[in-house]
Coordinates of all heavy atoms in Angstrom, one line a residue:
G1 N -15.2 3.7 10.0 CA -14.9 5.1 10.3 C -13.6 5.3 11.0 O -13.0 4.4 11.5
I2 N -13.2 6.6 10.9 CA -11.8 6.9 11.5 C -11.7 6.6 13.0 O -10.7 6.3 13.5 CB -11.6 8.5 11.2 CG1 -10.1 8.8 11.6 CG2 -12.5 9.3 12.0 CD1 -9.1 8.2 10.6
K3 N -12.8 6.7 13.7 CA -12.8 6.5 15.1 C -12.4 5.1 15.5 O -11.7 4.9 16.5 CB -14.2 6.7 15.7 CG -14.3 6.7 17.2 CD -15.7 7.1 17.7 CE -15.8 7.1 19.2 NZ -17.2 7.3 19.7
E4 N -12.7 4.1 14.6 CA -12.3 2.7 14.8 C -10.8 2.5 14.8 O -10.2 1.7 15.5 CB -12.9 1.8 13.8 CG -12.8 0.3 14.1 CD -13.7 -0.1 15.3 OE1 -14.7 0.5 15.5 OE2 -13.2 -1.0 16.0
Y5 N -10.1 3.3 14.1 CA -8.6 3.3 14.0 C -8.0 3.6 15.4 O -6.9 3.2 15.7 CB -8.0 4.2 13.0 CG -8.2 3.7 11.6 CD1 -9.1 4.4 10.7 CD2 -7.6 2.6 11.1 CE1 -9.3 4.0 9.4 CE2 -7.7 2.2 9.8 CZ -8.6 2.9 8.9 OH -8.8 2.5 7.6
Y6 N -8.7 4.5 16.1 CA -8.2 5.0 17.4 C -8.9 4.3 18.6 O -8.8 4.9 19.7 CB -8.4 6.5 17.5 CG -7.4 7.2 16.6 CD1 -7.6 7.5 15.3 CD2 -6.1 7.6 17.1 CE1 -6.7 8.1 14.5 CE2 -5.2 8.2 16.3 CZ -5.4 8.4 15.0 OH -4.5 9.0 14.2
R7 N -9.4 3.1 18.4 CA -9.9 2.4 19.6 C -8.7 2.0 20.5 O -7.7 1.5 20.0 CB -10.6 1.1 19.1 CG -11.4 0.4 20.2 CD -12.0 -0.9 19.7 NE -13.1 -0.7 18.8 CZ -14.4 -0.7 19.2 NH1 -14.6 -0.8 20.5 NH2 -15.4 -0.5 18.4
G8 N -8.9 2.3 21.8 CA -7.8 2.0 22.7 C -6.8 3.2 22.9 O -5.8 3.1 23.4
L9 N -7.3 4.4 22.4 CA -6.4 5.6 22.5 C -6.2 6.0 24.0 O -5.1 6.4 24.3 CB -7.1 6.8 21.7 CG -6.4 8.1 21.8 CD1 -5.0 8.1 21.2 CD2 -7.2 9.2 21.1
V10 N -7.2 5.9 24.8 CA -7.1 6.4 26.2 C -6.0 5.7 27.0 O -5.2 6.3 27.6 CB -8.5 6.2 26.9 CG1 -8.3 6.5 28.4 CG2 -9.5 7.2 26.3
P11 N -6.0 4.3 27.0 CA -4.9 3.7 27.7 C -3.5 4.0 27.1 O -2.5 4.1 27.8 CB -5.1 2.2 27.5 CG -6.2 2.1 26.5 CD -6.9 3.3 26.5
I12 N -3.4 4.3 25.8 CA -2.1 4.7 25.2 C -1.7 6.1 25.7 O -0.5 6.3 26.1 CB -2.3 4.7 23.7 CG1 -2.3 3.3 23.2 CG2 -1.1 5.4 23.0 CD1 -2.6 3.2 21.7
L13 N -2.7 7.0 25.9 CA -2.3 8.3 26.4 C -2.0 8.2 27.9 O -1.0 8.9 28.3 CB -3.6 9.3 26.2 CG -3.9 9.7 24.8 CD1 -5.2 10.5 24.8 CD2 -2.7 10.6 24.3
I14 N -2.7 7.4 28.6 CA -2.4 7.2 30.1 C -0.9 6.6 30.2 O -0.2 7.0 31.1 CB -3.4 6.3 30.7 CG1 -4.8 6.9 30.7 CG2 -3.0 5.9 32.1 CD1 -5.9 6.0 31.2
R15 N -0.6 5.8 29.3 CA 0.8 5.1 29.4 C 1.9 6.0 28.9 O 2.9 6.1 29.6 CB 0.7 3.8 28.5 CG 2.0 3.1 28.4 CD 1.9 2.1 27.3 NE 1.9 2.8 26.0 CZ 1.6 2.2 24.8 NH1 1.3 0.9 24.8 NH2 1.6 2.8 23.7
N16 N 1.7 6.7 27.7 CA 2.8 7.3 27.1 C 3.4 8.5 27.9 O 4.6 8.6 28.0 CB 2.4 7.8 25.7 CG 2.3 6.7 24.7 OD1 2.5 5.6 25.0 ND2 2.1 7.1 23.4
G17 N 2.6 9.4 28.3 CA 3.1 10.6 29.0 C 3.9 10.3 30.3 O 5.1 10.6 30.3
P18 N 3.3 9.6 31.3 CA 4.1 9.3 32.5 C 5.3 8.4 32.2 O 6.3 8.6 32.9 CB 3.0 8.5 33.3 CG 1.7 9.0 32.8 CD 1.9 9.2 31.4
S19 N 5.2 7.4 31.3 CA 6.4 6.6 31.1 C 7.5 7.4 30.4 O 8.7 7.1 30.8 CB 6.0 5.4 30.2 OG 5.6 5.8 28.9
N20 N 7.2 8.3 29.6 CA 8.2 9.2 29.0 C 8.9 10.1 30.1 O 10.1 10.3 30.1 CB 7.6 10.1 27.9 CG 7.6 9.4 26.6 OD1 7.8 8.2 26.4 ND2 7.3 10.2 25.5
V21 N 8.1 10.6 31.0 CA 8.6 11.5 32.0 C 9.6 10.7 32.9 O 10.7 11.1 33.2 CB 7.5 12.0 32.9 CG1 8.0 12.7 34.2 CG2 6.6 13.0 32.2
L22 N 9.2 9.4 33.3 CA 10.1 8.6 34.1 C 11.3 8.2 33.3 O 12.5 8.1 33.9 CB 9.3 7.4 34.6 CG 8.2 7.7 35.6 CD1 7.4 6.4 35.9 CD2 8.8 8.2 36.9
F23 N 11.2 7.8 32.0 CA 12.3 7.3 31.2 C 13.4 8.4 31.1 O 14.5 8.2 31.4 CB 11.8 6.9 29.9 CG 12.9 6.4 29.0 CD1 13.5 5.1 29.1 CD2 13.5 7.2 28.0 CE1 14.5 4.7 28.3 CE2 14.5 6.8 27.2 CZ 15.0 5.5 27.3
F24 N 13.0 9.6 30.6 CA 13.9 10.7 30.4 C 14.4 11.3 31.7 O 15.6 11.8 31.8 CB 13.3 11.8 29.5 CG 13.1 11.4 28.1 CD1 11.9 11.2 27.5 CD2 14.3 11.1 27.3 CE1 11.7 10.8 26.2 CE2 14.1 10.7 25.9 CZ 12.9 10.6 25.4
G25 N 13.6 11.3 32.7 CA 14.0 11.8 34.0 C 15.0 11.0 34.8 O 15.8 11.5 35.5
L26 N 14.9 9.6 34.6 CA 15.7 8.7 35.4 C 16.9 8.2 34.6 O 17.8 7.6 35.2 CB 14.9 7.6 35.9 CG 13.7 7.9 36.9 CD1 12.9 6.7 37.2 CD2 14.3 8.5 38.2
R27 N 16.9 8.4 33.3 CA 18.0 7.8 32.5 C 19.4 8.3 32.9 O 20.3 7.6 33.1 CB 17.7 8.1 31.0 CG 18.6 7.3 30.1 CD 18.1 7.5 28.7 NE 17.9 8.9 28.2 CZ 18.2 9.3 27.0 NH1 18.5 8.4 26.1 NH2 18.0 10.5 26.7
G28 N 19.5 9.6 33.1 CA 20.8 10.2 33.5 C 21.2 9.8 34.9 O 22.3 9.3 35.1
P29 N 20.3 9.9 35.9 CA 20.7 9.5 37.3 C 21.1 8.1 37.4 O 22.1 7.7 38.1 CB 19.5 9.8 38.1 CG 18.8 10.9 37.4 CD 19.1 10.7 35.9
I30 N 20.4 7.2 36.7 CA 20.8 5.8 36.8 C 22.2 5.5 36.2 O 23.0 4.8 36.7 CB 19.7 4.9 36.0 CG1 18.4 4.8 36.8 CG2 20.3 3.5 35.8 CD1 17.3 4.1 36.2
K31 N 22.5 6.2 35.0 CA 23.8 6.0 34.4 C 24.9 6.5 35.3 O 26.0 6.0 35.3 CB 23.8 6.7 33.0 CG 25.0 6.3 32.2 CD 25.0 6.8 30.8 CE 26.2 6.4 30.0 NZ 26.2 6.9 28.6
Q32 N 24.6 7.6 36.0 CA 25.6 8.2 36.9 C 26.0 7.2 38.1 O 27.1 7.3 38.6 CB 25.1 9.5 37.5 CG 25.1 10.6 36.4 CD 24.5 11.9 37.0 OE1 24.1 12.0 38.1 NE2 24.5 12.9 36.1
C33 N 25.0 6.3 38.4 CA 25.3 5.4 39.5 C 26.1 4.2 39.0 O 26.6 3.4 39.9 CB 23.9 4.9 40.0 SG 22.9 6.1 40.8
L34 N 26.2 4.0 37.7 CA 27.0 2.9 37.2 C 28.5 3.2 37.2 O 28.9 4.4 37.2 CB 26.5 2.6 35.8 CG 25.1 2.1 35.6 CD1 24.7 2.0 34.2 CD2 24.9 0.8 36.4
P35 N 29.4 2.2 37.1 CA 30.8 2.5 37.0 C 31.2 3.4 35.9 O 30.6 3.3 34.8 CB 31.4 1.1 36.9 CG 30.4 0.2 37.4 CD 29.1 0.8 37.1
E36 N 32.1 4.3 36.0 CA 32.5 5.2 35.0 C 33.0 4.5 33.8 O 33.9 3.6 33.9 CB 33.5 6.2 35.5 CG 33.9 7.3 34.5 CD 34.9 8.3 35.0 OE1 35.2 8.2 36.2 OE2 35.3 9.2 34.3
A37 N 32.5 4.8 32.6 CA 32.9 4.2 31.3 C 34.1 4.9 30.8 O 34.1 6.2 30.7 CB 31.8 4.2 30.4

């Protein structure tokens, strides 16, 4: 059944949202701390 394809969906949802927030939120500030290119 279709449900079997989505086994493990909960940890994926827990991971994806917060990791995206941190990635896109910190990408700019970290680059600004590096020597100017």
